[in-house]
Amino acid sequence: MSITHTAPRFTSTLTSQCQSCSLSALCLPIALADEDINRLDQIIERKKPLKKGEVLFRQGQSFDSVYAVRTGTLKTFNITSSGEEQITGFYCPSELLGLSGIDGNVYPVSAKALETTTVCEIPFSHLEDLSAQIPSLKHQIFKVMSRKISDDQQMMVLLGKKNADEKVASFLLNLSNRFKKRGYSATSFRLSMSRGEIGNYLGLAVETVSRVITRFQKNEMIEVDGKEIAIVGLTEMQKLVGVASDCDKIKNI
Amino acid sequence: MSITHTAPRFTSTLTSQCQSCSLSALCLPIALADEDINRLDQIIERKKPLKKGEVLFRQGQSFDSVYAVRTGTLKTFNITSSGEEQITGFYCPSELLGLSGIDGNVYPVSAKALETTTVCEIPFSHLEDLSAQIPSLKHQIFKVMSRKISDDQQMMVLLGKKNADEKVASFLLNLSNRFKKRGYSATSFRLSMSRGEIGNYLGLAVETVSRVITRFQKNEMIEVDGKEIAIVGLTEMQKLVGVASDCDKIKNI
DNA sequence: CGTTATATTGAAGTATATCAATCCAGGTGG
DNA sequence: CCACCTGGATTGATATACTTCAATATAACG
């Protein structure tokens, strides 16, 4: 056996393939035929778990793979010229990260695990080859990237127009929706990121996040125990961030 | 000739094809072989110019095309639940817009011309078909989308971490770079958007934008005459926004 | 050439940041 | 097992950058 530069692979004793993965309905395999899932499966490398604080890829490092989160959570972040960290996203199971590296062949952000985290590594050149053969896979990649663009634009609206209360509420509801989508409780979950990381992401000071959270508790919108959080006033919170139906929005244009 | 629901097409007297278009080196045709450019060319519809204020597509409208700007400028924007407009981007010649509609089959933003503007309409289903036959075209689309994602992330950093001076300076330098890339002056150009639109985009009040601009004039970083602007202290401005070399950034991670 | 939108400038108000002081939880070592 | 330590979280007091309100000034436009 020859020595390589690549990290050791983690091979589960079970068949940890896309087929049997509980996330297949949310992740890239969505909308693929069984045989196509198998082909996708073959290019994916399941890596050994990252411990909290470990880096998956680093800003400036040459791009070669995108990653799907299997368990745990990661954050992506930039280092600004003044040396501060700016978090650009949190990634939960089934979500894809690293896509922003395609353009420059370099990751423009770093990715770090917020807790013990496992990911599937998808070498991009292989994915691109395969996408030429499987139109629905290509379409799926377009969709994931498109989704990312519109999500990021929503985030800009949040950062540019909303006040502290609305920012925190939007953040919690966004997490809620993501948990819900993959079958977990929409109203009771654990925040894997610190208050500081939330503040950083939302463009707020830690203290402000803390104050908003205690205020929400007093208003009985949420119940908090450290990182555990329960949304008890979901509709009230939705009203706060202005969850309007599409109709409502469109009529105002 | 049968009546159709589509808007009338504008056919230039000259052969206004991708081949002869001055933007081909920046726009989608980049990296395509001549014969492939012709195939791309055939699916593109050159539309008649939009007048200032006209809408190219509307938030909520069903998605079927992406657009490349040929001349002029557009803005994309969201209407928030409270009815305010939030501008999510400005688009200059050679830039592609509409990509965020792929995921939901609906445009999540509206696009409006800031001045007389011409665009090339690229029906997405055709583009997707063609991209299956031309790998370099597919790769190019991935790159454009990836680029958009990392640009938007930079924008988040700006909105989340920067003060008014840094925001305005970043905005001006960003425009400067875009003009430069397509052969125009990097230091002297015309702002096609109003102060209000700049403020909206940057998450600042109009008055703040105005004040920052006059301050920059007093500091002799810029010279302004209405919408005409000249950057006279380019390096100083770069210092202000912290244009760090990649090395500088990476060492701090 | 008047009328309306856009831009500028000043004064006052406010949301959020910053500074500072506990408080608390989780992990470590005696 | 408990005391200790360290980083995160909370809370209060103060500072400030930006917004908002208001009053011109200027440019755009029919």
Side-chain angles (χ1 to χ4, degrees):
Chain A
M1 185 180 162
S2 67
I3 296 164
T4 73
H5 293 290
T6 55
R9 304 290 170 225
F10 177 77
T11 312
S12 152
T13 46
L14 293 169
T15 58
S16 61
Q17 320 278 25
C18 290
Q19 290 270 19
S20 60
C21 176
S22 62
L23 299 170
S24 62
L26 299 166
C27 189
L28 265 189
I30 193 174
L32 292 195
D34 280 1
E35 63 183 76
D36 291 334
I37 294 185
N38 282 329
R39 294 167 78 191
L40 175 61
D41 209 310
Q42 280 160 31
I43 68 167
I44 293 179
E45 293 166 10
R46 275 122 199 126
K47 305 194 68 171
K48 77 170 210 286
L50 295 164
K51 282 197 282 284
K52 177 173 175 171
E54 281 190 315
V55 169
L56 179 59
F57 53 78
R58 207 173 282 276
Q59 184 175 344
Q61 192 176 304
S62 87
F63 166 80
D64 35 42
S65 295
V66 297
Y67 297 87
V69 183
R70 282 208 294 165
T71 63
T73 326
L74 299 119
K75 65 175 173 183
T76 52
F77 59 97
N78 247 255
I79 301 298
T80 65
S81 48
S82 45
E84 310 162 273
E85 168 176 323
Q86 166 70 39
I87 296 173
T88 56
F90 297 110
Y91 294 81
C92 299
S94 87
E95 295 173 346
L96 236 55
L97 70 161
L99 291 165
S100 55
I102 299 170
D103 177 54
N105 263 305
V106 154
Y107 295 106
V109 292
S110 299
K112 189 178 269 190
L114 295 180
E115 56 193 321
T116 304
T117 297
T118 55
V119 298
C120 296
E121 178 174 2
I122 313 171
F124 186 69
S125 59
H126 291 175
L127 183 63
E128 213 177 357
D129 290 347
L130 198 58
S131 75
Q133 297 159 39
I134 309 174
S136 58
L137 177 61
K138 171 166 56 68
H139 188 70
Q140 192 55 28
I141 301 171
F142 283 144
K143 279 189 71 160
V144 169
M145 296 184 81
S146 168
R147 163 69 89 116
K148 178 75 183 152
I149 293 170
S150 58
D151 284 352
D152 285 353
Q153 277 167 357
Q154 279 308 109
M155 189 64 196
M156 287 185 214
V157 176
L158 182 148
L159 289 168
K161 285 265 173 304
K162 299 192 176 179
N163 64 29
D165 283 19
E166 293 167 336
K167 283 181 180 182
V168 175
S170 299
F171 177 72
L172 294 175
L173 287 179
N174 178 274
L175 281 184
S176 164
N177 287 138
R178 284 152 83 182
F179 284 122
K180 187 180 176 185
K181 190 174 284 179
R182 76 184 78 89
Y184 295 114
S185 168
T187 54
S188 181
F189 47 87
R190 191 175 171 284
L191 300 171
S192 46
M193 65 294 290
S194 71
R195 303 285 193 270
E197 287 167 326
I198 295 173
N200 181 302
Y201 180 59
L202 297 176
L204 296 173
V206 203
E207 296 93 329
T208 307
V209 175
S210 209
R211 277 184 254 265
V212 171
I213 287 178
T214 51
R215 206 179 310 146
F216 282 0
Q217 273 179 282
K218 282 178 189 152
N219 297 348
E220 292 174 333
M221 289 211 296
I222 60 175
E223 282 164 10
V224 181
D225 175 26
K227 305 214 150 193
E228 292 294 332
I229 189 158
I231 303 177
V232 291
L234 191 66
T235 47
E236 200 181 351
M237 190 175 273
Q238 288 170 335
K239 208 180 294 169
L240 174 59
V241 307
V243 176
S245 70
D246 277 354
C247 296
D248 288 347
K249 293 175 96 173
I250 290 158
K251 73 165 182 233
N252 289 313
I253 298 176
Chain B
M1 187 180 162
S2 67
I3 296 162
T4 70
H5 294 290
T6 56
R9 304 290 171 227
F10 177 78
T11 312
S12 150
T13 47
L14 293 169
T15 59
S16 62
Q17 319 278 26
C18 290
Q19 291 270 18
S20 61
C21 177
S22 63
L23 300 169
S24 61
L26 299 165
C27 188
L28 265 188
I30 192 173
L32 294 194
D34 280 1
E35 61 183 75
D36 291 334
I37 295 185
N38 282 331
R39 294 168 77 190
L40 175 61
D41 209 308
Q42 280 161 32
I43 68 168
I44 293 179
E45 293 166 10
R46 275 116 199 133
K47 305 193 68 170
K48 78 170 211 287
L50 294 163
K51 282 197 282 285
K52 176 172 177 171
E54 282 189 314
V55 169
L56 179 59
F57 53 78
R58 209 172 280 277
Q59 184 174 344
Q61 192 177 305
S62 88
F63 166 80
D64 35 41
S65 295
V66 298
Y67 297 87
V69 182
R70 281 208 295 163
T71 62
T73 326
L74 299 118
K75 65 175 174 183
T76 54
F77 58 97
N78 247 254
I79 301 297
T80 65
S81 48
S82 44
E84 310 162 272
E85 168 176 323
Q86 165 71 39
I87 295 171
T88 56
F90 296 109
Y91 294 82
C92 298
S94 86
E95 295 172 349
L96 236 54
L97 70 161
L99 291 164
S100 54
I102 298 169
D103 178 54
N105 263 304
V106 153
Y107 296 105
V109 292
S110 299
K112 190 179 268 191
L114 296 180
E115 57 194 320
T116 303
T117 297
T118 55
V119 299
C120 297
E121 177 175 2
I122 312 170
F124 186 69
S125 59
H126 290 176
L127 183 63
E128 213 177 357
D129 291 347
L130 198 59
S131 76
Q133 298 160 38
I134 309 174
S136 59
L137 177 61
K138 172 165 57 65
H139 187 71
Q140 192 55 29
I141 301 171
F142 284 144
K143 280 189 70 160
V144 169
M145 295 184 81
S146 168
R147 161 69 89 118
K148 177 75 183 151
I149 292 170
S150 58
D151 284 352
D152 285 353
Q153 277 166 357
Q154 278 308 109
M155 190 64 196
M156 287 186 217
V157 175
L158 182 148
L159 288 169
K161 285 264 173 305
K162 299 191 177 181
N163 64 27
D165 284 19
E166 293 167 338
K167 284 181 179 182
V168 174
S170 300
F171 176 73
L172 294 175
L173 287 179
N174 178 273
L175 280 184
S176 163
N177 287 140
R178 284 151 83 181
F179 285 121
K180 187 180 176 186
K181 190 175 283 181
R182 76 184 78 88
Y184 295 115
S185 168
T187 53
S188 182
F189 46 88
R190 191 175 170 283
L191 300 170
S192 45
M193 66 293 291
S194 70
R195 303 286 193 268
E197 286 166 328
I198 295 173
N200 182 302
Y201 180 59
L202 298 176
L204 295 173
V206 203
E207 296 93 328
T208 307
V209 175
S210 208
R211 277 185 255 266
V212 171
I213 287 177
T214 52
R215 206 179 310 146
F216 282 0
Q217 273 180 282
K218 281 178 188 151
N219 298 347
E220 292 174 333
M221 288 210 297
I222 59 176
E223 283 164 11
V224 181
D225 174 26
K227 306 214 149 191
E228 291 294 330
I229 190 158
I231 303 177
V232 291
L234 192 67
T235 48
E236 198 181 352
M237 190 175 274
Q238 288 169 336
K239 208 181 294 169
L240 173 59
V241 307
V243 176
S245 69
D246 277 354
C247 297
D248 288 345
K249 294 174 97 174
I250 290 157
K251 73 166 183 232
N252 289 313
I253 298 178

